[in-house]
Amino acid sequence: MKLFSLILSVIVFFGSLYFFVLKVSEVDSLNDLIYVSLLVTLMAICVVGVIINWEFFRKKRNNNLFLFVTNSYSRKKKKK
């Protein structure tokens, strides 16, 4: 599923980049500016999708974090 999401993000990114390059030189009205800004937003979402799913290519490593904390207050105090 992560592979599908990664491939879909890359395809949509390049598709929106293609339309962005075609349209960016023809920005004449507010509608064109809104369209181009929506394409930029879509490309940013695709970049975030690629970053999230980039773990697919990394080696699976042990992500366990062991935290050892010594606390002097948790020890029982000895009576004299």
Side-chain angles (χ1 to χ4, degrees), residues 9-59:
S9 292
V10 170
I11 289 172
V12 170
F13 176 78
F14 283 116
S16 57
L17 182 66
Y18 173 75
F19 289 112
F20 177 77
V21 169
L22 288 179
K23 194 66 176 178
V24 76
S25 62
E26 301 174 3
V27 175
D28 293 335
S29 66
L30 182 62
N31 289 335
D32 294 333
L33 185 66
I34 292 171
Y35 177 71
V36 169
S37 66
L38 286 174
L39 285 175
V40 169
T41 305
L42 180 61
M43 286 189 290
I45 291 170
C46 291
V47 167
V48 170
V50 168
I51 290 171
I52 289 172
N53 294 311
W54 191 253
E55 299 173 352
F56 182 77
F57 290 114
R58 281 195 255 163
K59 291 181 181 178

